[in-house]
Amino acid sequence: MSGITVLFNQSKGTINPNIYGHFSEHIGGVFYDGLWVGEDAEVENIRGFRKALVESFAKINPPVLRWPGGCFAETYDWRDGIGPRARRPRRVNWWYNDDHRVESNQVGTHEFMDFCRMTGARPYVAANMTSVTPLHIRDWIEYCNMPAGLTTLADERAANGDREPFGVRYWGIGNENWGGGGSMTAEMCAREYLRFATVCASLPGEMTFVVCGPNAHDAAWTREVMRTLAGKGHTPAALSVHYYCGTAGAPQRFTEAEWYQLLHQANYMQNIVDDHRAAMDEFDPERKTAIFVDEWGCWHQGGSGPSRGYNLFEQQSSMRDAVVAALTLNIFNNRCDVVAMANVAQLCNNLHSLYLAGGGHFVETPNYFVYDMYKTHQNARQLGLANDCGAFGGGEAFRRAARPLDRVSASASQAEDGTVTVTLANTSMTEPAGVTLSGLGGTLAGRAAVTTLAADDPHTCNTFENPKAVQPVTVERAFADGDSLTLPPASVTAVVIRGEASKAHVPA
Ligand code: AHR
């Protein structure tokens, strides 16, 4: 039996709730017939948004939701999405050449803010830096955030139905400017950022501006952006990092080798955040600029989702994707001193989605349950771990990352009320893992809710035909320090302990 020891006296700080953030782009089926069905739809809806999805999403305490892109942001004119819906223009959007669908603008700023209010997520707006002027984006911020009665734009917002300002704090300036966002060099991107940030920061209010960071492991980009920005007076609050796991078989058909290939790729996220932080530290030793991993997830070949390829990038998610989500969130928890936000791509009918929906169908994927099981980590104090469960090496992905894959990926935290959460992913596709859990400097004894997400076959997905094939199972039980658990192969487990553990809580 292997062991995991929770080290109550070691902590990297508070787990920023924004690590549990999400992303919703106007692409394929994310909004239209996904989140948004329209007020006149037969599908039950709340002011046009799919009711089942609104209710389900609110349950996992989503801290933040990024919108409207992605690449879509770089041809988006926010003025298209305000005013009476019947009069909004239809546009050939960024993705048109991929799917020949036009943007109807039925969801615009007010609808998105409404969705955020209903679900409790704070808005993170990704603004166009490539094809509009800085003044255009400054106007959007003014429209969103200034009090009615103060300016004409604020009054226009009020006339469009929202007298209260939206209070949008997070503003991404550009998206993937090394590629779809203008094919810029890092220096160009940083200089453009300065133009936009200087002008936008002349508005009052607390705002978090985010500069475009690298594609995956491109540390040269990060270094050049940070070098160009250093000492210019508009230090961005965050650098956006994007990292997707590449193809390793199909979502529902993968070999054992492809299972490990994908998990090793996911595990590479540790290198991504560590190496970019090191590059940033050369120019920002005080760490004024945080890392937002504002796009991450598995990117499989398209066509495996229920729309059979109609919705661009829509894919199924199996237990393999749930294990990727679990191990990635464990990485973020364990690097909460470095990662201040992370947004899984994307919420519905797309890559690594929490939901698949269409017409009257609505399905929570295995990924969804991971977010539900991990939600007590939000805002909790991260705890150190001694993990002697062993590791998997070998294979091409391992050689590249030069970092073994934990046999049992884990993270732990303690909330202010003393509740301890330990989350575990068994990264073996075929073998169960026996683990004892104990505390050092504190105890894990108490009443525990042990939730397990597993399936007899790791290829299992939730589909329109069988929407509940993968469901978590929770067992409430007394837990003694040093108790053992058997983690099924290819599974995710959350142990949430209240009781003695809470009494032992040592404030951070
Ligand atoms: O998430 C899909 C796309 O992936 C986003 O639009 C883009 O930012 C990234 O390349």
mmCIF file of all heavy atoms in Angstrom, residues 47-83:
data_model
loop_
_atom_site.group_PDB
_atom_site.id
_atom_site.type_symbol
_atom_site.label_atom_id
_atom_site.label_comp_id
_atom_site.label_asym_id
_atom_site.label_seq_id
_atom_site.Cartn_x
_atom_site.Cartn_y
_atom_site.Cartn_z
ATOM 1 N N ARG A 47 -34.430 33.619 -19.874
ATOM 2 C CA ARG A 47 -34.091 34.756 -20.738
ATOM 3 C C ARG A 47 -33.176 34.323 -21.894
ATOM 4 O O ARG A 47 -32.188 34.983 -22.217
ATOM 5 C CB ARG A 47 -33.452 35.883 -19.909
ATOM 6 C CG ARG A 47 -34.424 36.485 -18.888
ATOM 7 C CD ARG A 47 -33.847 37.700 -18.200
ATOM 8 N NE ARG A 47 -32.741 37.404 -17.313
ATOM 9 C CZ ARG A 47 -32.873 36.883 -16.088
ATOM 10 N NH1 ARG A 47 -34.084 36.600 -15.628
ATOM 11 N NH2 ARG A 47 -31.819 36.646 -15.336
ATOM 12 N N GLY A 48 -33.518 33.195 -22.494
ATOM 13 C CA GLY A 48 -32.812 32.736 -23.695
ATOM 14 C C GLY A 48 -31.718 31.719 -23.441
ATOM 15 O O GLY A 48 -31.305 31.000 -24.350
ATOM 16 N N PHE A 49 -31.243 31.620 -22.204
ATOM 17 C CA PHE A 49 -30.180 30.641 -21.917
ATOM 18 C C PHE A 49 -30.792 29.318 -21.452
ATOM 19 O O PHE A 49 -31.757 29.301 -20.678
ATOM 20 C CB PHE A 49 -29.212 31.183 -20.859
ATOM 21 C CG PHE A 49 -28.283 32.224 -21.395
ATOM 22 C CD1 PHE A 49 -28.521 33.577 -21.153
ATOM 23 C CD2 PHE A 49 -27.196 31.870 -22.180
ATOM 24 C CE1 PHE A 49 -27.673 34.548 -21.675
ATOM 25 C CE2 PHE A 49 -26.340 32.836 -22.699
ATOM 26 C CZ PHE A 49 -26.581 34.183 -22.457
ATOM 27 N N ARG A 50 -30.210 28.238 -21.905
ATOM 28 C CA ARG A 50 -30.669 26.883 -21.577
ATOM 29 C C ARG A 50 -30.709 26.716 -20.053
ATOM 30 O O ARG A 50 -29.667 26.771 -19.384
ATOM 31 C CB ARG A 50 -29.693 25.894 -22.218
ATOM 32 C CG ARG A 50 -30.066 24.457 -22.150
ATOM 33 C CD ARG A 50 -28.965 23.613 -22.794
ATOM 34 N NE ARG A 50 -28.941 23.723 -24.248
ATOM 35 C CZ ARG A 50 -29.715 23.028 -25.085
ATOM 36 N NH1 ARG A 50 -30.557 22.124 -24.592
ATOM 37 N NH2 ARG A 50 -29.633 23.200 -26.383
ATOM 38 N N LYS A 51 -31.938 26.489 -19.533
ATOM 39 C CA LYS A 51 -32.129 26.492 -18.084
ATOM 40 C C LYS A 51 -31.308 25.387 -17.388
ATOM 41 O O LYS A 51 -30.675 25.623 -16.357
ATOM 42 C CB LYS A 51 -33.625 26.301 -17.786
ATOM 43 C CG LYS A 51 -34.003 26.362 -16.327
ATOM 44 C CD LYS A 51 -35.515 26.551 -16.191
ATOM 45 C CE LYS A 51 -35.955 26.682 -14.748
ATOM 46 N NZ LYS A 51 -36.321 25.400 -14.139
ATOM 47 N N ALA A 52 -31.311 24.196 -17.971
ATOM 48 C CA ALA A 52 -30.606 23.081 -17.323
ATOM 49 C C ALA A 52 -29.123 23.409 -17.174
ATOM 50 O O ALA A 52 -28.491 23.082 -16.164
ATOM 51 C CB ALA A 52 -30.790 21.805 -18.136
ATOM 52 N N LEU A 53 -28.584 24.072 -18.201
ATOM 53 C CA LEU A 53 -27.156 24.389 -18.170
ATOM 54 C C LEU A 53 -26.873 25.502 -17.151
ATOM 55 O O LEU A 53 -25.907 25.415 -16.384
ATOM 56 C CB LEU A 53 -26.709 24.793 -19.578
ATOM 57 C CG LEU A 53 -25.218 24.916 -19.816
ATOM 58 C CD1 LEU A 53 -24.879 24.591 -21.284
ATOM 59 C CD2 LEU A 53 -24.653 26.273 -19.476
ATOM 60 N N VAL A 54 -27.734 26.508 -17.125
ATOM 61 C CA VAL A 54 -27.547 27.603 -16.165
ATOM 62 C C VAL A 54 -27.532 27.019 -14.753
ATOM 63 O O VAL A 54 -26.648 27.335 -13.934
ATOM 64 C CB VAL A 54 -28.687 28.648 -16.304
ATOM 65 C CG1 VAL A 54 -28.665 29.633 -15.137
ATOM 66 C CG2 VAL A 54 -28.571 29.379 -17.628
ATOM 67 N N GLU A 55 -28.494 26.149 -14.466
ATOM 68 C CA GLU A 55 -28.600 25.611 -13.105
ATOM 69 C C GLU A 55 -27.423 24.701 -12.765
ATOM 70 O O GLU A 55 -26.883 24.733 -11.661
ATOM 71 C CB GLU A 55 -29.933 24.883 -12.954
ATOM 72 C CG GLU A 55 -31.089 25.883 -12.961
ATOM 73 C CD GLU A 55 -32.471 25.234 -12.963
ATOM 74 O OE1 GLU A 55 -32.567 23.993 -13.101
ATOM 75 O OE2 GLU A 55 -33.439 25.978 -12.826
ATOM 76 N N SER A 56 -27.029 23.886 -13.730
ATOM 77 C CA SER A 56 -25.922 22.965 -13.502
ATOM 78 C C SER A 56 -24.616 23.742 -13.293
ATOM 79 O O SER A 56 -23.828 23.452 -12.384
ATOM 80 C CB SER A 56 -25.803 22.027 -14.704
ATOM 81 O OG SER A 56 -24.577 21.356 -14.694
ATOM 82 N N PHE A 57 -24.403 24.756 -14.119
ATOM 83 C CA PHE A 57 -23.153 25.527 -14.047
ATOM 84 C C PHE A 57 -23.064 26.274 -12.712
ATOM 85 O O PHE A 57 -22.009 26.298 -12.082
ATOM 86 C CB PHE A 57 -23.106 26.495 -15.239
ATOM 87 C CG PHE A 57 -21.770 27.150 -15.476
ATOM 88 C CD1 PHE A 57 -20.581 26.430 -15.416
ATOM 89 C CD2 PHE A 57 -21.691 28.507 -15.788
ATOM 90 C CE1 PHE A 57 -19.350 27.034 -15.658
ATOM 91 C CE2 PHE A 57 -20.467 29.127 -16.033
ATOM 92 C CZ PHE A 57 -19.300 28.387 -15.968
ATOM 93 N N ALA A 58 -24.175 26.844 -12.279
ATOM 94 C CA ALA A 58 -24.169 27.598 -11.013
ATOM 95 C C ALA A 58 -23.744 26.706 -9.847
ATOM 96 O O ALA A 58 -23.107 27.165 -8.904
ATOM 97 C CB ALA A 58 -25.545 28.203 -10.754
ATOM 98 N N LYS A 59 -24.056 25.415 -9.952
ATOM 99 C CA LYS A 59 -23.764 24.489 -8.838
ATOM 100 C C LYS A 59 -22.273 24.297 -8.581
ATOM 101 O O LYS A 59 -21.876 23.908 -7.488
ATOM 102 C CB LYS A 59 -24.362 23.106 -9.155
ATOM 103 C CG LYS A 59 -25.801 22.991 -8.763
ATOM 104 C CD LYS A 59 -26.224 21.528 -8.845
ATOM 105 C CE LYS A 59 -27.686 21.471 -9.233
ATOM 106 N NZ LYS A 59 -28.034 20.281 -9.978
ATOM 107 N N ILE A 60 -21.445 24.495 -9.599
ATOM 108 C CA ILE A 60 -20.008 24.236 -9.388
ATOM 109 C C ILE A 60 -19.256 25.513 -8.989
ATOM 110 O O ILE A 60 -18.026 25.542 -8.999
ATOM 111 C CB ILE A 60 -19.341 23.568 -10.608
ATOM 112 C CG1 ILE A 60 -19.538 24.404 -11.874
ATOM 113 C CG2 ILE A 60 -19.883 22.156 -10.814
ATOM 114 C CD1 ILE A 60 -18.688 23.906 -13.037
ATOM 115 N N ASN A 61 -19.996 26.572 -8.658
ATOM 116 C CA ASN A 61 -19.388 27.849 -8.244
ATOM 117 C C ASN A 61 -18.367 28.364 -9.257
ATOM 118 O O ASN A 61 -17.192 28.551 -8.927
ATOM 119 C CB ASN A 61 -18.680 27.722 -6.883
ATOM 120 C CG ASN A 61 -19.623 27.263 -5.805
ATOM 121 O OD1 ASN A 61 -20.842 27.352 -5.968
ATOM 122 N ND2 ASN A 61 -19.083 26.773 -4.704
ATOM 123 N N PRO A 62 -18.795 28.588 -10.490
ATOM 124 C CA PRO A 62 -17.802 29.064 -11.474
ATOM 125 C C PRO A 62 -17.322 30.465 -11.086
ATOM 126 O O PRO A 62 -18.134 31.376 -10.945
ATOM 127 C CB PRO A 62 -18.609 29.108 -12.782
ATOM 128 C CG PRO A 62 -20.032 29.277 -12.358
ATOM 129 C CD PRO A 62 -20.158 28.560 -11.038
ATOM 130 N N PRO A 63 -16.032 30.645 -10.900
ATOM 131 C CA PRO A 63 -15.565 31.959 -10.442
ATOM 132 C C PRO A 63 -15.515 32.997 -11.553
ATOM 133 O O PRO A 63 -15.734 34.175 -11.321
ATOM 134 C CB PRO A 63 -14.162 31.660 -9.908
ATOM 135 C CG PRO A 63 -13.719 30.461 -10.671
ATOM 136 C CD PRO A 63 -14.936 29.664 -10.980
ATOM 137 N N VAL A 64 -15.199 32.531 -12.767
ATOM 138 C CA VAL A 64 -14.935 33.489 -13.847
ATOM 139 C C VAL A 64 -15.195 32.804 -15.187
ATOM 140 O O VAL A 64 -14.987 31.596 -15.326
ATOM 141 C CB VAL A 64 -13.478 34.024 -13.717
ATOM 142 C CG1 VAL A 64 -12.442 32.959 -13.977
ATOM 143 C CG2 VAL A 64 -13.232 35.228 -14.618
ATOM 144 N N LEU A 65 -15.663 33.595 -16.151
ATOM 145 C CA LEU A 65 -15.953 33.053 -17.488
ATOM 146 C C LEU A 65 -15.381 34.000 -18.541
ATOM 147 O O LEU A 65 -15.716 35.185 -18.574
ATOM 148 C CB LEU A 65 -17.468 32.905 -17.668
ATOM 149 C CG LEU A 65 -17.970 32.323 -18.992
ATOM 150 C CD1 LEU A 65 -17.416 30.911 -19.240
ATOM 151 C CD2 LEU A 65 -19.502 32.295 -19.011
ATOM 152 N N ARG A 66 -14.498 33.452 -19.386
ATOM 153 C CA ARG A 66 -13.852 34.269 -20.433
ATOM 154 C C ARG A 66 -14.731 34.285 -21.689
ATOM 155 O O ARG A 66 -15.302 33.251 -22.059
ATOM 156 C CB ARG A 66 -12.473 33.664 -20.722
ATOM 157 C CG ARG A 66 -11.645 34.394 -21.758
ATOM 158 C CD ARG A 66 -10.218 33.845 -21.733
ATOM 159 N NE ARG A 66 -9.361 34.487 -22.718
ATOM 160 C CZ ARG A 66 -8.959 33.896 -23.843
ATOM 161 N NH1 ARG A 66 -9.329 32.655 -24.132
ATOM 162 N NH2 ARG A 66 -8.170 34.543 -24.684
ATOM 163 N N TRP A 67 -14.781 35.396 -22.385
ATOM 164 C CA TRP A 67 -15.695 35.608 -23.510
ATOM 165 C C TRP A 67 -15.261 36.843 -24.273
ATOM 166 O O TRP A 67 -14.679 37.733 -23.638
ATOM 167 C CB TRP A 67 -17.108 35.830 -22.930
ATOM 168 C CG TRP A 67 -18.159 36.239 -23.905
ATOM 169 C CD1 TRP A 67 -18.932 35.419 -24.680
ATOM 170 C CD2 TRP A 67 -18.573 37.591 -24.216
ATOM 171 N NE1 TRP A 67 -19.798 36.172 -25.448
ATOM 172 C CE2 TRP A 67 -19.592 37.507 -25.174
ATOM 173 C CE3 TRP A 67 -18.178 38.864 -23.771
ATOM 174 C CZ2 TRP A 67 -20.217 38.633 -25.713
ATOM 175 C CZ3 TRP A 67 -18.789 39.996 -24.301
ATOM 176 C CH2 TRP A 67 -19.799 39.874 -25.256
ATOM 177 N N PRO A 68 -15.509 37.044 -25.562
ATOM 178 C CA PRO A 68 -16.205 36.183 -26.517
ATOM 179 C C PRO A 68 -15.255 35.313 -27.344
ATOM 180 O O PRO A 68 -15.694 34.582 -28.219
ATOM 181 C CB PRO A 68 -16.895 37.200 -27.429
ATOM 182 C CG PRO A 68 -15.923 38.344 -27.473
ATOM 183 C CD PRO A 68 -15.268 38.392 -26.115
ATOM 184 N N GLY A 69 -13.954 35.406 -27.136
ATOM 185 C CA GLY A 69 -12.996 34.523 -27.799
ATOM 186 C C GLY A 69 -11.818 34.395 -26.887
ATOM 187 O O GLY A 69 -11.844 34.971 -25.781
ATOM 188 N N GLY A 70 -10.829 33.687 -27.263
ATOM 189 C CA GLY A 70 -10.450 33.076 -28.516
ATOM 190 C C GLY A 70 -10.299 33.986 -29.734
ATOM 191 O O GLY A 70 -10.387 35.208 -29.680
ATOM 192 N N CYS A 71 -9.988 33.276 -30.805
ATOM 193 C CA CYS A 71 -9.756 33.935 -32.088
ATOM 194 C C CYS A 71 -10.924 34.824 -32.471
ATOM 195 O O CYS A 71 -10.739 35.871 -33.102
ATOM 196 C CB CYS A 71 -9.511 32.879 -33.160
ATOM 197 S SG CYS A 71 -7.955 32.009 -32.936
ATOM 198 N N PHE A 72 -12.149 34.403 -32.110
ATOM 199 C CA PHE A 72 -13.333 35.177 -32.461
ATOM 200 C C PHE A 72 -13.179 36.635 -32.038
ATOM 201 O O PHE A 72 -13.641 37.558 -32.719
ATOM 202 C CB PHE A 72 -14.570 34.571 -31.785
ATOM 203 C CG PHE A 72 -15.843 35.346 -32.006
ATOM 204 C CD1 PHE A 72 -16.630 35.109 -33.129
ATOM 205 C CD2 PHE A 72 -16.255 36.314 -31.096
ATOM 206 C CE1 PHE A 72 -17.793 35.828 -33.335
ATOM 207 C CE2 PHE A 72 -17.421 37.037 -31.297
ATOM 208 C CZ PHE A 72 -18.195 36.797 -32.419
ATOM 209 N N ALA A 73 -12.529 36.841 -30.901
ATOM 210 C CA ALA A 73 -12.398 38.195 -30.353
ATOM 211 C C ALA A 73 -11.726 39.135 -31.348
ATOM 212 O O ALA A 73 -12.005 40.337 -31.359
ATOM 213 C CB ALA A 73 -11.601 38.153 -29.052
ATOM 214 N N GLU A 74 -10.838 38.579 -32.180
ATOM 215 C CA GLU A 74 -9.995 39.443 -33.009
ATOM 216 C C GLU A 74 -10.688 39.990 -34.254
ATOM 217 O O GLU A 74 -10.086 40.757 -35.014
ATOM 218 C CB GLU A 74 -8.699 38.713 -33.378
ATOM 219 C CG GLU A 74 -7.811 38.417 -32.163
ATOM 220 C CD GLU A 74 -7.224 39.666 -31.480
ATOM 221 O OE1 GLU A 74 -7.652 40.795 -31.786
ATOM 222 O OE2 GLU A 74 -6.327 39.494 -30.640
ATOM 223 N N THR A 75 -11.958 39.594 -34.494
ATOM 224 C CA THR A 75 -12.738 40.289 -35.535
ATOM 225 C C THR A 75 -14.049 40.800 -34.932
ATOM 226 O O THR A 75 -14.966 41.167 -35.664
ATOM 227 C CB THR A 75 -13.057 39.374 -36.740
ATOM 228 O OG1 THR A 75 -13.692 38.181 -36.271
ATOM 229 C CG2 THR A 75 -11.817 39.019 -37.534
ATOM 230 N N TYR A 76 -14.135 40.809 -33.611
ATOM 231 C CA TYR A 76 -15.405 41.167 -32.965
ATOM 232 C C TYR A 76 -15.524 42.662 -32.756
ATOM 233 O O TYR A 76 -14.600 43.314 -32.257
ATOM 234 C CB TYR A 76 -15.515 40.451 -31.614
ATOM 235 C CG TYR A 76 -16.851 40.651 -30.925
ATOM 236 C CD1 TYR A 76 -18.041 40.288 -31.564
ATOM 237 C CD2 TYR A 76 -16.924 41.194 -29.645
ATOM 238 C CE1 TYR A 76 -19.269 40.462 -30.933
ATOM 239 C CE2 TYR A 76 -18.152 41.367 -29.004
ATOM 240 C CZ TYR A 76 -19.309 40.999 -29.660
ATOM 241 O OH TYR A 76 -20.528 41.168 -29.040
ATOM 242 N N ASP A 77 -16.713 43.172 -33.131
ATOM 243 C CA ASP A 77 -17.062 44.572 -32.869
ATOM 244 C C ASP A 77 -18.186 44.547 -31.839
ATOM 245 O O ASP A 77 -19.306 44.122 -32.131
ATOM 246 C CB ASP A 77 -17.531 45.217 -34.181
ATOM 247 C CG ASP A 77 -17.934 46.677 -34.007
ATOM 248 O OD1 ASP A 77 -18.184 47.094 -32.856
ATOM 249 O OD2 ASP A 77 -17.996 47.388 -35.027
ATOM 250 N N TRP A 78 -17.895 44.989 -30.635
ATOM 251 C CA TRP A 78 -18.866 44.859 -29.541
ATOM 252 C C TRP A 78 -20.176 45.584 -29.840
ATOM 253 O O TRP A 78 -21.229 45.231 -29.317
ATOM 254 C CB TRP A 78 -18.264 45.365 -28.222
ATOM 255 C CG TRP A 78 -17.920 46.821 -28.172
ATOM 256 C CD1 TRP A 78 -16.752 47.395 -28.548
ATOM 257 C CD2 TRP A 78 -18.761 47.890 -27.721
ATOM 258 N NE1 TRP A 78 -16.796 48.746 -28.363
ATOM 259 C CE2 TRP A 78 -18.028 49.081 -27.841
ATOM 260 C CE3 TRP A 78 -20.061 47.959 -27.217
ATOM 261 C CZ2 TRP A 78 -18.543 50.328 -27.492
ATOM 262 C CZ3 TRP A 78 -20.577 49.203 -26.861
ATOM 263 C CH2 TRP A 78 -19.822 50.363 -27.002
ATOM 264 N N ARG A 79 -20.112 46.590 -30.732
ATOM 265 C CA ARG A 79 -21.329 47.341 -31.044
ATOM 266 C C ARG A 79 -22.351 46.474 -31.790
ATOM 267 O O ARG A 79 -23.550 46.758 -31.760
ATOM 268 C CB ARG A 79 -20.989 48.585 -31.860
ATOM 269 C CG ARG A 79 -20.316 49.657 -31.004
ATOM 270 C CD ARG A 79 -20.580 51.058 -31.543
ATOM 271 N NE ARG A 79 -20.684 52.020 -30.461
ATOM 272 C CZ ARG A 79 -21.803 52.344 -29.823
ATOM 273 N NH1 ARG A 79 -22.948 51.810 -30.157
ATOM 274 N NH2 ARG A 79 -21.798 53.221 -28.851
ATOM 275 N N ASP A 80 -21.883 45.406 -32.439
ATOM 276 C CA ASP A 80 -22.815 44.494 -33.126
ATOM 277 C C ASP A 80 -23.722 43.767 -32.135
ATOM 278 O O ASP A 80 -24.767 43.244 -32.513
ATOM 279 C CB ASP A 80 -22.041 43.415 -33.912
ATOM 280 C CG ASP A 80 -21.321 43.988 -35.120
ATOM 281 O OD1 ASP A 80 -21.624 45.140 -35.505
ATOM 282 O OD2 ASP A 80 -20.450 43.284 -35.668
ATOM 283 N N GLY A 81 -23.303 43.681 -30.898
ATOM 284 C CA GLY A 81 -24.024 42.836 -29.934
ATOM 285 C C GLY A 81 -24.808 43.612 -28.898
ATOM 286 O O GLY A 81 -25.054 43.090 -27.813
ATOM 287 N N ILE A 82 -25.163 44.861 -29.207
ATOM 288 C CA ILE A 82 -26.019 45.609 -28.269
ATOM 289 C C ILE A 82 -27.261 46.108 -29.014
ATOM 290 O O ILE A 82 -27.304 46.090 -30.241
ATOM 291 C CB ILE A 82 -25.268 46.801 -27.614
ATOM 292 C CG1 ILE A 82 -24.747 47.765 -28.693
ATOM 293 C CG2 ILE A 82 -24.129 46.301 -26.723
ATOM 294 C CD1 ILE A 82 -24.205 49.069 -28.109
ATOM 295 N N GLY A 83 -28.248 46.533 -28.265
ATOM 296 C CA GLY A 83 -29.478 47.032 -28.876
ATOM 297 C C GLY A 83 -30.441 45.898 -29.170
ATOM 298 O O GLY A 83 -30.161 44.732 -28.882
#
